[in-house]
Amino acid sequence: MLKGPRMTEFYRLYSSLPLQEPPRAVAEIDLSALRHNYRYLRAEAERSSPDSRPICVVKADAYGHGAPACVRVLLEEGCDFFAVSCLNEAVAVREVCRSEGKEASILILGYTDPSLARSLAEEDLIQTLVSAEYADRLLSAALGEGVSVRVHAAVDTGMNRIGFPAQDFRSVRDTVKRLAAMTRQRTLRLEGVFSHLAAADEPMGSRGEALTHKQVERFRAVCAGLEAETDAPLFYHLCNSAGTLRLPKDLLDGYRLGILLYGAHPSSDFSLPVRSVMRLVTRIAHIHTLPAGESVSYGGTFTADRSLRVATLPIGYADGLLRAFSGGRVTVRAKNGDVRVPVIGRICMDQCMIDVTDTDACEGDEVVLFGEDPQQLADYAARASTIDYECLCLVSARVLRVYTDGERT
Protein backbone atom coordinates (compact mmCIF):
# COMPACT_ATOMS: atom_id res chain seq x y z
CA MET A 1 0.00 0.00 0.00
CA LEU A 2 1.33 3.44 -0.86
CA LYS A 3 -0.26 5.56 1.82
CA GLY A 4 -3.33 5.53 4.05
CA PRO A 5 -5.04 3.14 6.52
CA ARG A 6 -3.41 -0.11 7.53
CA MET A 7 -3.85 -2.89 5.00
CA THR A 8 -6.29 -5.64 5.99
CA GLU A 9 -5.89 -7.91 2.97
CA PHE A 10 -4.92 -7.81 -0.69
CA TYR A 11 -4.82 -9.84 -3.88
CA ARG A 12 -2.85 -9.52 -7.07
CA LEU A 13 -1.98 -11.03 -10.41
CA TYR A 14 1.32 -12.94 -10.69
CA SER A 15 0.91 -14.11 -7.09
CA SER A 16 3.79 -16.58 -7.46
CA LEU A 17 6.26 -13.67 -7.72
CA PRO A 18 7.62 -11.70 -4.75
CA LEU A 19 5.46 -8.78 -3.63
CA GLN A 20 7.05 -5.45 -4.51
CA GLU A 21 7.52 -3.00 -1.64
CA PRO A 22 6.25 -0.50 -2.42
CA PRO A 23 4.20 -1.79 -5.37
CA ARG A 24 4.29 0.15 -8.65
CA ALA A 25 0.56 0.92 -8.52
CA VAL A 26 -2.25 0.18 -6.11
CA ALA A 27 -6.04 0.25 -6.18
CA GLU A 28 -6.94 0.97 -2.57
CA ILE A 29 -10.40 -0.41 -1.82
CA ASP A 30 -12.10 1.29 1.12
CA LEU A 31 -14.59 -1.26 2.41
CA SER A 32 -15.98 1.21 4.96
CA ALA A 33 -17.03 3.37 1.98
CA LEU A 34 -18.81 0.35 0.50
CA ARG A 35 -20.62 -0.14 3.80
CA HIS A 36 -21.60 3.54 3.87
CA ASN A 37 -22.93 3.46 0.31
CA TYR A 38 -24.96 0.29 0.88
CA ARG A 39 -26.51 1.69 4.06
CA TYR A 40 -27.34 5.00 2.40
CA LEU A 41 -28.94 3.41 -0.68
CA ARG A 42 -30.88 0.89 1.39
CA ALA A 43 -32.18 3.66 3.66
CA GLU A 44 -33.26 5.72 0.65
CA ALA A 45 -35.15 2.74 -0.78
CA GLU A 46 -36.78 1.94 2.54
CA ARG A 47 -38.35 5.41 2.67
CA SER A 48 -40.85 4.38 0.02
CA SER A 49 -40.56 0.58 -0.07
CA PRO A 50 -39.55 -0.84 3.32
CA ASP A 51 -40.24 -4.41 2.21
CA SER A 52 -38.32 -4.23 -1.07
CA ARG A 53 -35.17 -6.36 -1.16
CA PRO A 54 -31.77 -4.97 -2.27
CA ILE A 55 -29.92 -6.99 -4.91
CA CYS A 56 -26.22 -6.11 -4.96
CA VAL A 57 -24.65 -6.37 -8.39
CA VAL A 58 -21.11 -7.76 -8.07
CA LYS A 59 -20.50 -8.76 -11.68
CA ALA A 60 -17.17 -8.04 -13.41
CA ASP A 61 -15.31 -8.72 -10.15
CA ALA A 62 -17.51 -6.17 -8.36
CA TYR A 63 -16.86 -3.57 -11.06
CA GLY A 64 -13.11 -4.09 -10.70
CA HIS A 65 -13.05 -3.78 -6.90
CA GLY A 66 -12.66 -7.51 -6.17
CA ALA A 67 -15.82 -9.51 -5.64
CA PRO A 68 -14.70 -11.76 -2.74
CA ALA A 69 -13.95 -8.91 -0.32
CA CYS A 70 -16.97 -6.87 -1.44
CA VAL A 71 -19.35 -9.82 -1.10
CA ARG A 72 -18.09 -10.56 2.42
CA VAL A 73 -18.72 -6.98 3.50
CA LEU A 74 -22.18 -6.89 1.91
CA LEU A 75 -23.08 -10.17 3.61
CA GLU A 76 -22.06 -8.59 6.93
CA GLU A 77 -24.33 -5.65 6.13
CA GLY A 78 -27.28 -8.01 5.68
CA CYS A 79 -27.44 -8.35 1.90
CA ASP A 80 -28.71 -11.80 0.92
CA PHE A 81 -29.21 -11.37 -2.82
CA PHE A 82 -26.45 -10.88 -5.40
CA ALA A 83 -26.43 -10.53 -9.18
CA VAL A 84 -23.59 -11.52 -11.52
CA SER A 85 -23.11 -11.90 -15.25
CA CYS A 86 -22.13 -15.55 -15.71
CA LEU A 87 -21.82 -18.97 -14.12
CA ASN A 88 -18.16 -18.63 -13.11
CA GLU A 89 -18.89 -15.40 -11.25
CA ALA A 90 -21.89 -16.99 -9.56
CA VAL A 91 -19.90 -19.99 -8.34
CA ALA A 92 -17.24 -17.66 -6.94
CA VAL A 93 -19.87 -15.72 -4.99
CA ARG A 94 -21.40 -18.97 -3.72
CA GLU A 95 -17.99 -20.04 -2.43
CA VAL A 96 -17.66 -16.78 -0.50
CA CYS A 97 -21.11 -17.26 1.00
CA ARG A 98 -20.20 -20.79 2.10
CA SER A 99 -16.94 -19.62 3.63
CA GLU A 100 -18.89 -17.07 5.67
CA GLY A 101 -21.62 -19.54 6.63
CA LYS A 102 -24.27 -17.39 4.94
CA GLU A 103 -27.15 -18.18 2.61
CA ALA A 104 -27.88 -15.92 -0.36
CA SER A 105 -29.76 -15.90 -3.62
CA ILE A 106 -27.45 -15.48 -6.62
CA LEU A 107 -28.91 -14.40 -9.96
CA ILE A 108 -27.02 -14.87 -13.23
CA LEU A 109 -28.11 -11.93 -15.38
CA GLY A 110 -26.71 -13.30 -18.64
CA TYR A 111 -26.55 -16.46 -20.73
CA THR A 112 -25.44 -19.86 -19.43
CA ASP A 113 -25.13 -22.78 -21.82
CA PRO A 114 -28.07 -25.14 -21.17
CA SER A 115 -25.64 -28.08 -20.99
CA LEU A 116 -24.59 -26.67 -17.60
CA ALA A 117 -28.04 -27.20 -16.08
CA ARG A 118 -26.64 -29.61 -13.49
CA SER A 119 -24.10 -27.05 -12.31
CA LEU A 120 -26.85 -24.44 -11.96
CA ALA A 121 -28.88 -26.83 -9.85
CA GLU A 122 -26.02 -28.10 -7.70
CA GLU A 123 -24.85 -24.58 -6.86
CA ASP A 124 -28.46 -23.46 -6.18
CA LEU A 125 -28.16 -20.56 -8.64
CA ILE A 126 -30.89 -18.57 -10.35
CA GLN A 127 -30.53 -18.52 -14.13
CA THR A 128 -32.03 -15.78 -16.27
CA LEU A 129 -34.26 -16.97 -19.09
CA VAL A 130 -33.06 -14.78 -21.95
CA SER A 131 -35.82 -15.86 -24.36
CA ALA A 132 -38.62 -18.38 -24.85
CA GLU A 133 -36.38 -20.47 -27.10
CA TYR A 134 -33.66 -20.50 -24.46
CA ALA A 135 -36.21 -21.56 -21.84
CA ASP A 136 -37.13 -24.56 -24.02
CA ARG A 137 -33.48 -25.59 -24.39
CA LEU A 138 -32.75 -25.20 -20.68
CA LEU A 139 -35.88 -27.18 -19.83
CA SER A 140 -34.83 -30.00 -22.13
CA ALA A 141 -31.34 -30.07 -20.63
CA ALA A 142 -32.66 -30.03 -17.06
CA LEU A 143 -35.05 -32.88 -17.83
CA GLY A 144 -32.19 -34.85 -19.35
CA GLU A 145 -30.08 -34.34 -16.22
CA GLY A 146 -32.98 -35.01 -13.88
CA VAL A 147 -32.50 -31.69 -12.07
CA SER A 148 -34.62 -28.68 -11.20
CA VAL A 149 -33.26 -25.19 -11.96
CA ARG A 150 -34.30 -21.92 -10.35
CA VAL A 151 -35.00 -19.21 -12.94
CA HIS A 152 -35.99 -15.58 -13.37
CA ALA A 153 -37.45 -14.46 -16.69
CA ALA A 154 -36.03 -11.35 -18.33
CA VAL A 155 -38.68 -9.22 -20.01
CA ASP A 156 -37.67 -6.90 -22.85
CA THR A 157 -39.54 -3.65 -22.27
CA GLY A 158 -37.33 -1.48 -24.48
CA MET A 159 -33.67 -2.28 -23.87
CA ASN A 160 -33.86 -4.66 -26.85
CA ARG A 161 -31.01 -6.82 -25.64
CA ILE A 162 -32.46 -10.01 -24.12
CA GLY A 163 -35.80 -11.10 -22.76
CA PHE A 164 -39.35 -12.13 -23.53
CA PRO A 165 -40.87 -9.36 -25.68
CA ALA A 166 -43.19 -6.82 -24.08
CA GLN A 167 -43.26 -3.84 -26.44
CA ASP A 168 -46.96 -3.82 -27.31
CA PHE A 169 -50.29 -5.30 -26.23
CA ARG A 170 -49.89 -8.51 -28.23
CA SER A 171 -46.35 -9.25 -27.07
CA VAL A 172 -47.28 -8.49 -23.44
CA ARG A 173 -50.23 -10.88 -23.69
CA ASP A 174 -48.15 -13.65 -25.27
CA THR A 175 -45.35 -13.25 -22.71
CA VAL A 176 -47.82 -13.36 -19.83
CA LYS A 177 -49.35 -16.59 -21.16
CA ARG A 178 -45.96 -18.19 -21.68
CA LEU A 179 -44.66 -17.28 -18.22
CA ALA A 180 -47.91 -18.19 -16.49
CA ALA A 181 -47.71 -21.65 -18.06
CA MET A 182 -44.16 -22.02 -16.77
CA THR A 183 -45.33 -21.56 -13.18
CA ARG A 184 -47.22 -24.84 -13.48
CA GLN A 185 -44.13 -27.02 -14.01
CA ARG A 186 -41.26 -27.64 -11.61
CA THR A 187 -38.23 -28.50 -13.72
CA LEU A 188 -37.66 -24.82 -14.39
CA ARG A 189 -38.83 -23.17 -11.17
CA LEU A 190 -39.91 -19.70 -12.21
CA GLU A 191 -39.33 -17.56 -9.13
CA GLY A 192 -39.07 -14.08 -10.54
CA VAL A 193 -39.53 -11.72 -13.46
CA PHE A 194 -37.45 -8.63 -14.21
CA SER A 195 -36.58 -6.04 -16.80
CA HIS A 196 -33.73 -3.57 -17.25
CA LEU A 197 -34.09 0.19 -17.67
CA ALA A 198 -32.17 1.58 -20.63
CA ALA A 199 -32.12 5.28 -19.74
CA ALA A 200 -33.01 5.82 -16.08
CA ASP A 201 -29.83 7.89 -15.67
CA GLU A 202 -30.79 10.39 -18.39
CA PRO A 203 -31.80 13.96 -17.41
CA MET A 204 -35.35 14.68 -16.37
CA GLY A 205 -37.44 15.88 -19.29
CA SER A 206 -35.27 14.09 -21.84
CA ARG A 207 -36.15 11.36 -24.33
CA GLY A 208 -34.53 8.99 -21.87
CA GLU A 209 -37.05 9.88 -19.19
CA ALA A 210 -39.88 9.21 -21.65
CA LEU A 211 -38.39 5.81 -22.50
CA THR A 212 -38.08 4.96 -18.80
CA HIS A 213 -41.74 5.71 -18.16
CA LYS A 214 -42.67 3.61 -21.19
CA GLN A 215 -40.62 0.70 -19.88
CA VAL A 216 -42.19 0.98 -16.43
CA GLU A 217 -45.66 0.95 -17.97
CA ARG A 218 -44.87 -2.13 -20.07
CA PHE A 219 -43.34 -4.02 -17.16
CA ARG A 220 -46.26 -3.23 -14.88
CA ALA A 221 -48.58 -4.57 -17.59
CA VAL A 222 -46.66 -7.87 -17.52
CA CYS A 223 -46.82 -7.97 -13.71
CA ALA A 224 -50.55 -7.27 -13.68
CA GLY A 225 -51.17 -9.92 -16.32
CA LEU A 226 -49.25 -12.53 -14.38
CA GLU A 227 -51.01 -11.70 -11.14
CA ALA A 228 -54.32 -12.22 -12.94
CA GLU A 229 -53.21 -15.49 -14.57
CA THR A 230 -51.43 -17.26 -11.71
CA ASP A 231 -51.27 -17.46 -7.94
CA ALA A 232 -47.54 -18.26 -8.03
CA PRO A 233 -45.55 -15.94 -5.70
CA LEU A 234 -43.27 -14.27 -8.25
CA PHE A 235 -40.49 -11.83 -7.31
CA TYR A 236 -40.54 -8.69 -9.50
CA HIS A 237 -37.58 -6.33 -9.93
CA LEU A 238 -36.97 -3.52 -12.39
CA CYS A 239 -34.86 -0.67 -11.00
CA ASN A 240 -31.11 -0.32 -11.34
CA SER A 241 -29.04 2.21 -9.34
CA ALA A 242 -30.48 5.22 -11.14
CA GLY A 243 -34.01 3.83 -11.11
CA THR A 244 -33.81 3.09 -7.39
CA LEU A 245 -33.44 6.80 -6.66
CA ARG A 246 -35.51 8.15 -9.53
CA LEU A 247 -38.48 5.78 -9.27
CA PRO A 248 -39.17 5.11 -5.57
CA LYS A 249 -42.71 3.91 -6.34
CA ASP A 250 -41.40 1.27 -8.75
CA LEU A 251 -38.97 -0.65 -6.56
CA LEU A 252 -41.44 -3.55 -6.45
CA ASP A 253 -40.13 -6.66 -4.66
CA GLY A 254 -36.49 -5.88 -5.28
CA TYR A 255 -34.09 -3.30 -6.69
CA ARG A 256 -30.60 -3.80 -8.14
CA LEU A 257 -27.73 -1.71 -6.77
CA GLY A 258 -24.74 -1.44 -9.08
CA ILE A 259 -22.50 1.55 -9.80
CA LEU A 260 -23.68 3.62 -6.83
CA LEU A 261 -22.52 0.91 -4.44
CA TYR A 262 -18.99 1.67 -5.53
CA GLY A 263 -19.27 5.43 -5.13
CA ALA A 264 -19.47 6.43 -8.79
CA HIS A 265 -22.51 8.04 -10.37
CA PRO A 266 -24.66 6.71 -13.21
CA SER A 267 -24.35 10.05 -15.01
CA SER A 268 -23.57 13.73 -14.44
CA ASP A 269 -27.26 14.21 -13.64
CA PHE A 270 -26.66 12.71 -10.19
CA SER A 271 -25.00 14.24 -7.13
CA LEU A 272 -25.29 11.97 -4.11
CA PRO A 273 -23.51 11.46 -0.77
CA VAL A 274 -21.87 8.21 -1.84
CA ARG A 275 -18.15 7.72 -1.26
CA SER A 276 -15.58 6.44 -3.76
CA VAL A 277 -14.62 2.88 -2.88
CA MET A 278 -11.56 2.70 -5.17
CA ARG A 279 -8.56 5.02 -4.96
CA LEU A 280 -5.99 4.46 -7.72
CA VAL A 281 -2.48 5.54 -6.76
CA THR A 282 1.13 5.23 -7.94
CA ARG A 283 4.48 6.97 -7.31
CA ILE A 284 6.79 9.17 -9.34
CA ALA A 285 9.50 6.92 -10.74
CA HIS A 286 11.65 9.46 -12.56
CA ILE A 287 11.95 13.23 -13.12
CA HIS A 288 13.85 14.89 -15.93
CA THR A 289 14.08 18.23 -17.76
CA LEU A 290 12.31 18.52 -21.10
CA PRO A 291 13.94 21.29 -23.18
CA ALA A 292 11.75 23.73 -25.10
CA GLY A 293 10.87 22.34 -28.53
CA GLU A 294 11.19 18.69 -27.48
CA SER A 295 8.19 16.35 -27.56
CA VAL A 296 6.95 13.68 -25.16
CA SER A 297 6.00 10.04 -25.76
CA TYR A 298 4.77 8.23 -28.87
CA GLY A 299 3.79 10.30 -31.86
CA GLY A 300 5.19 13.52 -30.41
CA THR A 301 1.68 14.80 -29.74
CA PHE A 302 2.89 17.12 -26.97
CA THR A 303 5.74 19.58 -27.55
CA ALA A 304 7.14 21.79 -24.80
CA ASP A 305 6.88 25.54 -25.48
CA ARG A 306 9.34 26.15 -22.62
CA SER A 307 11.68 24.10 -20.47
CA LEU A 308 9.59 21.73 -18.30
CA ARG A 309 10.10 19.32 -15.41
CA VAL A 310 8.50 16.07 -16.46
CA ALA A 311 7.78 13.15 -14.13
CA THR A 312 7.30 9.57 -15.31
CA LEU A 313 4.73 7.37 -13.56
CA PRO A 314 4.92 3.53 -13.67
CA ILE A 315 1.31 3.09 -14.78
CA GLY A 316 -0.21 2.93 -18.24
CA TYR A 317 -3.00 1.59 -20.38
CA ALA A 318 -2.18 -2.03 -19.51
CA ASP A 319 -3.12 -1.05 -15.96
CA GLY A 320 -6.36 0.56 -17.13
CA LEU A 321 -5.19 4.13 -17.67
CA LEU A 322 -6.53 4.57 -21.19
CA ARG A 323 -4.61 6.55 -23.81
CA ALA A 324 -7.71 8.70 -24.10
CA PHE A 325 -7.09 9.94 -20.54
CA SER A 326 -4.13 12.03 -21.75
CA GLY A 327 -4.64 15.65 -20.75
CA GLY A 328 -6.46 14.70 -17.57
CA ARG A 329 -5.18 15.85 -14.19
CA VAL A 330 -3.69 13.86 -11.35
CA THR A 331 -2.90 14.86 -7.77
CA VAL A 332 0.73 14.82 -6.62
CA ARG A 333 1.37 14.56 -2.88
CA ALA A 334 4.34 16.96 -2.90
CA LYS A 335 6.32 18.08 0.15
CA ASN A 336 4.66 21.49 0.27
CA GLY A 337 1.15 20.19 -0.35
CA ASP A 338 -1.06 18.58 -2.95
CA VAL A 339 -0.84 19.87 -6.51
CA ARG A 340 -2.98 19.06 -9.54
CA VAL A 341 -0.95 18.57 -12.69
CA PRO A 342 -1.74 17.37 -16.23
CA VAL A 343 -0.86 14.12 -17.96
CA ILE A 344 1.11 15.11 -21.07
CA GLY A 345 1.77 13.18 -24.26
CA ARG A 346 0.35 9.79 -25.06
CA ILE A 347 -0.12 7.31 -22.23
CA CYS A 348 2.09 4.27 -22.87
CA MET A 349 1.36 0.63 -22.05
CA ASP A 350 3.21 0.73 -18.72
CA GLN A 351 4.09 4.39 -18.13
CA CYS A 352 2.83 7.92 -18.53
CA MET A 353 4.25 11.40 -18.05
CA ILE A 354 3.02 14.39 -16.05
CA ASP A 355 4.11 18.04 -16.01
CA VAL A 356 5.48 18.93 -12.56
CA THR A 357 7.03 22.26 -13.55
CA ASP A 358 6.82 24.90 -10.81
CA THR A 359 6.16 22.25 -8.14
CA ASP A 360 8.46 20.69 -5.56
CA ALA A 361 7.50 17.16 -6.66
CA CYS A 362 10.21 14.57 -6.11
CA GLU A 363 10.86 10.98 -7.12
CA GLY A 364 8.89 8.69 -4.80
CA ASP A 365 6.03 11.16 -4.23
CA GLU A 366 2.59 9.56 -4.25
CA VAL A 367 0.29 10.38 -7.17
CA VAL A 368 -3.49 9.90 -7.01
CA LEU A 369 -5.09 9.11 -10.37
CA PHE A 370 -8.66 9.10 -9.01
CA GLY A 371 -10.70 8.26 -5.94
CA GLU A 372 -10.58 11.42 -3.82
CA ASP A 373 -12.23 14.10 -5.94
CA PRO A 374 -15.49 12.57 -7.26
CA GLN A 375 -15.16 14.64 -10.42
CA GLN A 376 -11.79 13.16 -11.36
CA LEU A 377 -13.17 9.82 -12.53
CA ALA A 378 -16.00 11.56 -14.40
CA ASP A 379 -13.45 13.78 -16.15
CA TYR A 380 -11.47 10.76 -17.33
CA ALA A 381 -14.66 9.14 -18.58
CA ALA A 382 -15.61 12.29 -20.50
CA ARG A 383 -12.19 12.40 -22.15
CA ALA A 384 -12.65 8.84 -23.35
CA SER A 385 -16.28 9.40 -24.39
CA THR A 386 -17.32 6.68 -21.98
CA ILE A 387 -18.77 6.25 -18.49
CA ASP A 388 -17.43 5.79 -14.95
CA TYR A 389 -18.42 2.10 -15.06
CA GLU A 390 -15.94 1.34 -17.83
CA CYS A 391 -13.11 3.29 -16.21
CA LEU A 392 -13.45 1.26 -12.99
CA CYS A 393 -13.79 -2.10 -14.73
CA LEU A 394 -10.71 -1.42 -16.86
CA VAL A 395 -8.34 -1.15 -13.88
CA SER A 396 -6.47 -4.33 -14.73
CA ALA A 397 -5.70 -7.39 -12.64
CA ARG A 398 -1.99 -6.56 -12.44
CA VAL A 399 -2.80 -3.53 -10.26
CA LEU A 400 -2.57 -4.67 -6.64
CA ARG A 401 -5.89 -4.38 -4.79
CA VAL A 402 -5.38 -3.43 -1.15
CA TYR A 403 -8.35 -3.54 1.22
CA THR A 404 -8.92 -1.37 4.26
CA ASP A 405 -11.93 -1.22 6.52
CA GLY A 406 -12.14 1.52 9.12
CA GLU A 407 -15.06 -0.23 10.80
CA ARG A 408 -13.08 -3.41 11.51
CA THR A 409 -10.71 -3.65 14.44
Side-chain angles (χ1 to χ4, degrees):
M1 184 170 57
L2 298 178
K3 186 177 181 181
R6 187 171 63 85
M7 177 177 71
T8 58
E9 60 180 305
F10 62 85
Y11 78 82
R12 62 195 176 102
L13 193 62
Y14 317 127
S15 57
S16 62
L17 299 179
L19 178 63
Q20 293 176 227
E21 286 291 346
R24 57 187 291 278
V26 162
E28 295 178 352
I29 311 300
D30 182 357
L31 297 176
S32 64
L34 180 63
R35 293 180 191 276
H36 165 84
N37 297 343
Y38 176 77
R39 292 169 187 171
Y40 165 74
L41 295 166
R42 184 181 60 188
E44 287 296 301
E46 287 177 350
R47 292 178 188 274
S48 59
S49 303
D51 297 325
S52 191
R53 188 176 174 190
I55 304 169
C56 288
V57 182
V58 293
K59 63 182 180 176
D61 203 23
Y63 291 48
H65 293 72
C70 292
V71 169
R72 282 197 292 272
V73 163
L74 293 166
L75 285 168
E76 290 175 7
E77 291 297 315
C79 179
D80 62 358
F81 203 152
F82 297 94
V84 297
S85 68
C86 62
L87 178 60
N88 287 344
E89 290 182 351
V91 171
V93 172
R94 178 63 73 210
E95 289 176 354
V96 174
C97 293
R98 287 178 181 141
S99 71
E100 297 297 308
K102 299 287 184 68
E103 296 292 331
S105 297
I106 303 172
L107 170 64
I108 299 173
L109 294 167
Y111 173 88
T112 298
D113 193 293
S115 66
L116 296 168
R118 178 169 291 279
S119 295
L120 292 168
E122 290 178 346
E123 295 292 341
D124 192 29
L125 304 173
I126 305 172
Q127 173 58 43
T128 289
L129 300 179
V130 301
S131 68
E133 294 75 19
Y134 175 79
D136 290 339
R137 289 192 288 128
L138 185 59
L139 175 61
S140 177
L143 286 169
E145 292 285 348
V147 297
S148 176
V149 178
R150 301 170 67 188
V151 296
H152 279 204
V155 174
D156 186 2
T157 57
M159 184 75 167
N160 288 302
R161 184 171 61 180
I162 62 170
F164 291 71
Q167 290 91 352
D168 53 35
F169 174 79
R170 176 174 293 179
S171 60
V172 166
R173 181 196 62 194
D174 292 346
T175 287
V176 166
K177 287 184 176 180
R178 180 66 188 258
L179 296 181
M182 286 184 59
T183 65
R184 294 189 284 273
Q185 55 87 17
R186 300 301 298 167
T187 300
L188 295 188
R189 288 148 47 203
L190 182 63
E191 298 180 359
V193 180
F194 73 95
S195 191
H196 188 63
L197 298 173
D201 57 345
E202 295 294 318
M204 304 298 285
S206 67
R207 290 180 58 199
E209 184 187 17
L211 173 58
T212 297
H213 288 308
K214 184 181 293 184
Q215 286 192 265
V216 171
E217 181 181 350
R218 291 168 174 174
F219 188 67
R220 283 197 172 275
V222 171
C223 297
L226 284 168
E227 289 171 358
E229 289 281 337
T230 177
D231 293 328
L234 297 174
F235 183 89
Y236 299 103
H237 52 111
L238 171 66
C239 290
N240 53 11
S241 285
T244 296
L245 298 176
R246 284 266 175 87
L247 306 167
K249 295 180 180 179
D250 297 303
L251 300 190
L252 306 176
D253 298 308
Y255 52 95
R256 302 185 299 273
L257 299 176
I259 192 66
L260 285 173
L261 271 179
Y262 307 103
H265 291 85
S267 71
S268 59
D269 206 42
F270 287 78
S271 180
L272 301 163
V274 291
R275 290 161 41 191
S276 296
V277 177
M278 181 187 291
R279 178 176 176 266
L280 183 62
V281 292
T282 187
R283 288 186 182 274
I284 293 176
H286 170 70
I287 295 179
H288 68 280
T289 298
L290 180 71
E294 288 291 309
S295 60
V296 172
S297 194
Y298 293 112
T301 58
F302 177 91
T303 300
D305 58 4
R306 61 184 177 114
S307 179
L308 302 177
R309 287 182 78 227
V310 174
T312 301
L313 307 180
I315 189 170
Y317 61 75
D319 303 291
L321 202 68
L322 296 177
R323 292 211 319 170
F325 293 168
S326 293
R329 289 185 170 269
V330 301
T331 301
V332 179
R333 298 267 192 259
K335 181 178 180 180
N336 291 329
D338 295 354
V339 288
R340 296 287 297 275
V341 301
V343 178
I344 58 174
R346 286 180 178 163
I347 294 173
C348 309
M349 182 182 289
D350 314 299
Q351 302 175 84
C352 66
M353 280 61 73
I354 59 176
D355 180 0
V356 294
T357 309
D358 303 324
T359 79
D360 64 338
C362 301
E363 291 180 5
D365 284 348
E366 183 180 88
V367 179
V368 181
L369 285 304
F370 63 77
E372 293 181 349
D373 178 355
Q375 189 57 41
Q376 211 162 7
L377 185 62
D379 288 345
Y380 284 135
R383 286 183 176 278
S385 299
T386 186
I387 53 178
D388 293 10
Y389 305 58
E390 184 175 9
C391 297
L392 290 172
C393 290
L394 287 177
V395 177
S396 78
R398 80 175 185 181
V399 175
L400 180 72
R401 265 68 167 178
V402 173
Y403 296 91
T404 60
D405 191 343
E407 296 194 25
R408 243 187 213 168
T409 56

